[in-house]
Amino acid sequence: MRTEITWEEPFCAEGNNCFRIGTDPSGNAYIAVAGQEDRPLTDTREALRTLILEIKAGKADHLL
């Protein structure tokens, strides 16, 4: 049985660096490279929320 994922529109940087975020009815969150949605990274929505908040707080700035 395949999980039904609702994907957001891609978030794209320069060139073809596009990512998509999706969720399913069971409360899971997904991140995938656009065009490779069949191989997503998955965790809970709370984990995705925490990741986004930490990035917004600057904790990934060293990667820029």
Side-chain angles (χ1 to χ4, degrees), residues 5-37:
I5 301 169
T6 302
W7 292 102
E8 300 289 328
E9 289 297 316
F11 297 94
C12 299
E14 295 178 18
N16 294 324
N17 301 320
C18 298
F19 294 90
R20 295 187 80 182
I21 295 175
T23 56
D24 71 18
S26 298
N28 298 306
Y30 301 82
I31 300 174
V33 173
Q36 298 180 22
E37 290 84 355

Side-chain angles (χ1 to χ4, degrees), residues 33-63:
V33 173
Q36 298 180 22
E37 290 84 355
D38 58 330
R39 297 184 293 168
L41 170 69
T42 184
D43 207 323
T44 63
R45 288 184 188 189
E46 183 58 32
L48 177 60
R49 179 182 181 280
T50 300
L51 174 65
I52 291 168
L53 290 173
E54 295 291 321
I55 290 170
K56 288 177 73 174
K59 294 192 178 178
D61 286 357
H62 65 284
L63 299 172

